[in-house]
Amino acid sequence: MKTELQEFEESMRRQISAFQNPKEESKVPRPMPDRGAKSPGQSASSYKTGHLVRLAVRTRALEQDSVFEHHSSSISKLEAQLEAEKAAKKAGYPIIGHLIEIRRL
């Protein structure tokens, strides 16, 4: 008689092998995205909800702050700020000085 742990391990092995070696008939076609949908790189005026986040950023430690603006579609201020900080670092600003303002769109 198998224990619960052995049954669980066998179940997990079956699921992992099914995931790694999918059969053709088990594939479900994904719907194609709507071509008329808005791309994430549009202007802030096209967003209906979200925040405009302004951060003071620098590329070097002894440099004056410059303003980095990020348009977030998030309704949460904290999430919008975190998105803006990630976008600033991705844009090449390793030092984020402080938050200047968050304005609701």
Side-chain angles (χ1 to χ4, degrees):
M1 184 172 185
K2 296 181 182 179
T3 64
E4 287 183 32
L5 180 60
Q6 290 172 336
E7 290 175 7
F8 174 73
E9 288 177 350
E10 286 181 13
S11 171
M12 291 306 294
R13 282 191 191 105
R14 276 184 270 137
Q15 291 178 7
I16 290 172
S17 65
F19 177 76
Q20 290 176 341
N21 303 319
K23 296 179 182 175
E24 292 301 318
E25 60 269 0
S26 67
K27 289 186 178 179
V28 178
R30 294 183 181 168
M32 295 299 291
D34 184 17
R35 299 245 183 232
K38 295 180 181 177
S39 65
Q42 291 184 348
S43 68
S45 61
S46 66
Y47 288 160
K48 305 229 187 258
T49 62
H51 291 88
L52 173 67
V53 182
R54 297 179 70 207
L55 298 172
V57 294
R58 290 178 266 162
T59 55
R60 290 178 282 166
L62 298 175
E63 186 178 77
Q64 285 188 345
D65 289 341
S66 57
V67 177
F68 180 83
E69 289 187 355
H70 177 74
H71 305 282
S72 174
S73 62
S74 174
I75 59 173
S76 166
K77 283 186 177 182
L78 181 59
E79 190 173 323
Q81 181 180 351
L82 292 174
E83 282 180 19
E85 289 174 0
K86 286 180 186 177
K89 287 185 180 181
K90 191 174 181 180
Y93 296 102
I95 301 170
I96 298 173
H98 59 278
L99 174 69
I100 297 174
E101 99 178 289
I102 297 180
R103 194 173 1 153
R104 181 175 231 158
L105 296 175

